[in-house]
Amino acid sequence: MKYDFNQIEEKWQDYWAKNQTFKAENNSEKPKYYVLDMFPYPSGAGLHVGHPLGYIASDIYARYKRHQGFNVLHPQGYDSFGLPAEQYAIQTGQHPAITTAENIKTYRRQLDQIGFSFDWSREVRTSDPKYYKWTQWIFIQLFNSWYNYKSEKAEDISELIKIFEVEGNANVNAACDDTIEFFTALDWNIYDDVKKQEILLQYRLTYLAETEVNWCPALGTVLANDEIVNGVSERGGHPVVRKKMTQWSMRISAYAERLLKGLETIDWTDSLKESQRNWIGKSVGASVTFHVKNHDKVIEVFTTRPDTIFGVSFMTLAPEHELVLQITTPEQKAEVEAYIEATAKRSERDRMADVKTISGAFTGAYVEHPFTKEPIPIWIGDYVLAGYGTGAVMSVPCGDQRDYDFAKHFDIDISNIFEGVDISEEAFADKEKTIIANSDFLNGLSHKEATKKVIQELEKLGQGQGKTNYRLRDAVFSRQRYWGEPFPVYYVDGMPQMIDAKYLPIELPEVEKYLPTETGEPPLGNATKWAWCTETNTVVDNDKIDNKTVFPLELNTMPGWAGSSQYFNRYMDPHNDQEIFSKEAIDYWQQVDLYIGGSEHATGHLLYSRFWQKFMFDKGYVNHDEFAKKLINQGMILGTSAFVCKITDFALTYGEDIKIKDDAIEISLEELEIRNDVVKKLESRFSNTFISFDFLEETFNEQFKRFPLFIRAKEVEPLKNIFLKEGFDENITLTVNPYHVDIQFLKVVKEGANFKYTDELVVDKFKNWRQEYEKSELISDINGVFKVFRDVEKMSKSKYNVVNPDQICEDYGADSLRLYEMFLGPLEQYKPWNTAGITGVHSFLKKLWKLYIGENGLNVTDTEPTKDSLKTLHKTIKKVKEDIENFSFNTSVSTFMIAVNELTAQKCTSKDILEPLLVLISPYAPHIAEELWSKLGHNESISTAPFPKFEEKYLVESSKNYPISFNGKMRFTLELPLDMSKEDIEKTVLENEKTQEQLQGRTPKKVIVVPGKIVNIVG
RNA sequence: GCUGAAGUGGUGGAAUUGGUAGACACGUUGGACUUAAAAUCCAAUGGCCAUUAUGGCCGUGCGGGUUCAAGUCCCGCCUUCAGUACCA
């Protein structure tokens, strides 16, 4: 009987579905265990081989825990709101809900064919109104809460109102906007309703405020900091600019300290915790107030080194600092304004890319030193960021490299306050260890002592106090997009009001088009009919009323992370339409025991989820203020792509149209008009039409007046328009890198380069392409014109390097895929996908099958197991158990191979060996395990069979093959009884003729005997 | 720059507390079976030298050190990957 994996796998997948084998009960006698995967975004490209890596690992763990007798919750769902579906909708008019549903169908089919033990009865989809009802509900809870630093938790906003009514806000220590003004109870009680609401908004955990946001023009929306990578949007790589907009924000900064402290209580990877720590960015120091001379103004700075206050040579303000224009003297006005204008023009990205250039301007104004009362000049400089601290720094050039560079550049006096440090040297000594000098009352003190002392003194003067600053900013929560959760919000007199929770969900209305309205409102502004709210909190349809006051609704939608910030709790009770989850459900499941997912979510999803969890904890909805006890990051499986570049020949041939420069090709603007011609010529030159050109407008480099890119022939016109629109003159040069090559050509490359499973290998590498190709591996040189490089990078549709698991499941089966993905290497490691080794695990499965099923049927008998077989079995049990518990899945696959090889060699047929072996293998290769299990006569699924017990006694040996080494080098081995004494071992070894041969008559200086381990003879 | 992780055969990767480096696979070579191929099975496979056999030398990024013994521990470098970055 052959191992017919296709038939077997289909059979058991049907069986599991039909019998709901993996359905988790909320009531059970068994202990619970909650294994969670990060749910996928169902993209149009379908599942690729990288997705299942983490899912397979968690599935093995979940199945293992079932064998251990746990009631396992192992759910799956979809993070189904998001940009790509909407971008697709804009292009095609197809409703995102439809494409999303289609994609989910594909994902489900692909997930099912791998044989995961998910409890699909608990599936959630973030775009399902039944689900996002609760996302909206949480939003309302956040709106109705404030953060009390005294109790260190979120409290109901009604408590705050009570305090205001009785004593005003002077004694309130809350997370709130810095612009808050003090008022008394008297004031509060006479404020009108709008004023009261305005004030409360400054305290709410989600609030509406005008903030500087990251605006992405190409996507038409704002983005959170973690959605921007290297200054461009994470999705699509579009440029991002700073812009002031009225936006919903989440007051995550209130939780900064708890988010930081909480990291100590959870078993997450160190690198991930470190990322979160950096992101939160706690720094302890002091805030110091400086009085501006001849002005009734103060400048507040934050510093981590208040002890260096006597070293302050100048102040530096961010160019955007609000006081700059007020304090600038008439003489300096022109210079300062010019500088401000120049920095405003530079994009954030330029500013980031160019940290070396020192620039700034003197305002002409001075502050007074708090102790010496000396005047200190005030400068502005773009190395000071408006968004961090107060946007102002006290500059201590003898202590800080940047301040030093700035002072040198502008020739500002540098005073030295460090003992024994030569400030003419650019490399500074470790300042934390240096004694303070030239600093009045701080002289002779260490960093620590001086810091303490100076804060005391500043407090006496009323000009400062100790302060802790966090880098973590509040998270912008509005998106000007269609495909997201609508806010349960309407406006009265411009103030936001919550729609009563009983009307939830506020469903996403239909729109004609998914673009902003003509008046520039978000896409929801196009909706003509949707549930909305009147004054009396009655939800009615827009078109059913008239003559009544109509209140505007919130037209923004929530960001992608809204739906994923509590989904792990919703799985506990996913069909509950009365509550987000019942108390019984959360009391039973508590929190996620094991969470597996990618580290790319370190500062996004994983931070926001922790924040919401802490909020839910404060409100008493959950029992733990961390949602996941343990978290493992699976590494990414990378795709192989090829790209082609450098066409020297082409430039020479077409030298009249195109010039070569720095290995790139330049085309002047006039030549753009004949570009179509050029392309035609090129196409005939390289007959197979494989050249096309591509460009991206946003990569225009202003500094060099270049597009470091490729041009696609048909897109010449739009490019030219952009060019002229931007007002660049006609002599501008385009730098063209013509390596975007078409599929036809790559098929040739592919055959030559012997790729497997990669049908399309085109990559757009518009960023740093020279570096990229220099780094990559040259795999082919075609006619000396094209060079083909192979590179390994993240799988993505746009790189044409996606490998999906379907073909592998068909050719080798899901069990092979599961084993192979585990066998590739350690779970956490990044690794390129390469199918070369899959035959290894596949033939292992065939050998396993043959061990049980011979030519004439079942090979398994009731014979007594041999000693050797028992030893093989028990050493396998031990190793596999340890491996699973250490998440070292790759080594258990080897262990299985060894076990099967040994048992085959032993011709083992004993049921007592082969039956437990199946349970060991079943988490890894569940289909074949189920099939063989049933062939052994079981009517029940193997999935709850108890995990075999390891017994030491079968491994006990009577002798050991000792390695005998001379000066640490192993020469030969010697079989000796394990109960032999140290002395006897030494004696036996020394008497051995091989030892004598090695010693050649010399007397050993020393003999080391480690019983059970090794013998080392030192000569 | 800072933080974190990692460097082991032709390849992916093994190696508990320091104790036989290269498990298990892939690939390669040779052989068996076959008209042939596939599949399957057997053998060899870190490098160099030597060989009738026994062998010998070198080997875990580089340079030192500790130790009877170092891939593993310590010090100093180099490289790669990832994250982060005028954070005051």
Side-chain angles (χ1 to χ4, degrees), chain A residues 720-1012:
Chain A
K720 203 184 156 192
N721 290 339
I722 290 157
F723 234 65
L724 295 172
K725 202 174 71 198
E726 296 287 326
F728 298 121
D729 65 49
E730 299 233 331
N731 292 323
I732 222 154
T733 302
L734 290 179
T735 304
V736 180
N737 168 26
Y739 76 24
H740 184 108
V741 182
D742 136 302
I743 309 286
Q744 279 297 323
F745 174 65
L746 279 151
K747 285 208 171 127
V748 181
V749 173
K750 193 183 100 183
E751 281 155 20
N754 202 17
F755 284 105
K756 287 179 185 172
Y757 286 107
T758 315
D759 293 315
E760 300 169 334
L761 299 164
V762 187
V763 186
D764 294 343
K765 273 192 181 292
F766 51 86
K767 275 185 282 180
N768 309 324
W769 63 274
R770 280 190 66 185
Q771 277 177 18
E772 291 290 342
Y773 87 72
E774 279 162 10
K775 242 168 40 183
S776 307
E777 182 194 358
L778 177 68
I779 50 172
S780 173
D781 185 338
I782 297 174
N783 302 333
V785 177
F786 291 95
K787 292 201 190 311
V788 183
F789 294 89
R790 178 163 46 198
D791 203 1
V792 166
E793 58 194 339
K794 195 173 164 180
M795 282 192 190
S796 126
K797 205 178 171 184
S798 66
K799 288 171 188 153
Y800 299 95
N801 63 353
V802 173
V803 184
N804 82 37
D806 298 17
Q807 194 62 44
I808 291 161
C809 285
E810 201 176 300
D811 293 349
Y812 299 99
D815 285 338
S816 292
L817 176 76
R818 292 170 65 106
L819 282 174
Y820 187 58
E821 291 219 2
M822 292 300 103
F823 193 56
L824 274 176
L827 183 61
E828 302 87 347
Q829 198 165 299
Y830 279 59
K831 51 217 154 201
W833 179 254
N834 169 12
T835 47
I838 197 157
T839 51
V841 292
H842 187 63
S843 58
F844 157 72
L845 287 175
K846 286 198 267 190
K847 279 185 216 162
L848 176 73
W849 182 263
K850 266 165 93 185
L851 184 60
Y852 291 77
I853 311 288
E855 300 268 317
N856 314 313
L858 202 62
N859 260 347
V860 183
T861 59
D862 284 328
T863 45
E864 276 291 302
T866 63
K867 228 179 137 187
D868 282 349
S869 302
L870 280 167
K871 192 177 155 189
T872 300
L873 175 69
H874 281 269
K875 115 186 147 182
T876 307
I877 296 171
K878 182 169 190 262
K879 179 83 172 108
V880 170
K881 188 170 186 295
E882 283 168 6
D883 284 346
I884 295 179
E885 283 166 6
N886 294 321
F887 305 96
S888 172
F889 301 114
N890 54 326
T891 50
S892 4
V893 179
S894 311
T895 307
F896 292 138
M897 290 173 171
I898 295 167
V900 168
N901 287 344
E902 285 181 6
L903 293 174
T904 305
Q906 292 159 12
K907 299 200 166 38
C908 173
T909 60
S910 168
K911 196 173 177 181
D912 291 348
I913 301 293
L914 296 178
E915 200 170 81
L917 183 70
L918 279 182
V919 182
L920 294 181
I921 291 178
S922 118
Y924 291 79
H927 306 89
I928 193 172
E930 288 277 22
E931 181 68 16
L932 294 173
W933 186 253
S934 80
K935 286 208 172 356
L936 289 184
H938 294 276
N939 295 321
E940 297 279 303
S941 162
I942 194 172
S943 62
T944 50
F947 202 78
K949 236 181 135 223
F950 166 66
E951 288 186 62
E952 186 74 48
K953 66 179 177 196
Y954 296 113
L955 297 194
V956 174
E957 301 266 0
S958 60
S959 69
K960 154 92 189 169
N961 198 17
Y962 278 92
I964 313 298
S965 18
F966 294 81
N967 296 319
K969 278 175 199 158
M970 206 281 288
R971 292 301 173 195
F972 59 91
T973 57
L974 201 60
E975 188 84 21
L976 295 170
L978 268 170
D979 54 7
M980 201 178 206
S981 75
K982 229 171 149 170
E983 292 71 29
D984 289 345
I985 292 174
E986 185 171 336
K987 197 161 159 251
T988 318
V989 169
L990 285 176
E991 278 166 2
N992 191 282
E993 62 180 77
K994 281 187 181 167
T995 309
Q996 291 308 318
E997 208 174 289
Q998 286 292 334
L999 286 171
Q1000 295 179 328
R1002 284 166 303 176
T1003 325
K1005 278 185 199 147
K1006 203 172 175 186
V1007 180
I1008 311 275
V1009 178
V1010 185

Side-chain angles (χ1 to χ4, degrees), chain A residues 338-366:
Chain A
Y339 183 70
I340 293 173
E341 204 185 325
T343 39
K345 258 197 195 160
R346 294 177 77 195
S347 67
E348 189 82 352
R349 203 181 171 192
D350 284 345
R351 248 168 103 165
M352 266 168 30
D354 175 29
V355 275
K356 294 265 147 59
T357 317
I358 296 162
S359 67
F362 179 44
T363 62
Y366 293 84

Side-chain angles (χ1 to χ4, degrees), chain A residues 675-677 679-680 683 691-695 711-720 740 742:
Chain A
R675 290 298 299 126
N676 282 308
D677 259 19
V679 169
K680 273 195 198 109
E683 283 176 355
I691 296 180
S692 68
F693 295 86
D694 202 357
F695 75 94
I711 298 179
R712 198 188 300 254
K714 53 184 183 260
E715 287 168 353
V716 167
E717 272 313 301
L719 174 66
K720 203 184 156 192
H740 184 108
D742 136 302

Side-chain angles (χ1 to χ4, degrees), chain A residues 212-215 225 228 230-232 239-243 320 343-355 382 384-388:
Chain A
E212 191 152 276
V213 295
N214 306 301
W215 173 255
N225 286 342
I228 301 162
N230 295 328
V232 296
V240 175
V241 296
R242 305 288 293 170
K243 190 176 170 184
E320 299 89 346
T343 39
K345 258 197 195 160
R346 294 177 77 195
S347 67
E348 189 82 352
R349 203 181 171 192
D350 284 345
R351 248 168 103 165
M352 266 168 30
D354 175 29
V355 275
D382 69 358
V384 177
L385 302 176
Y388 182 76

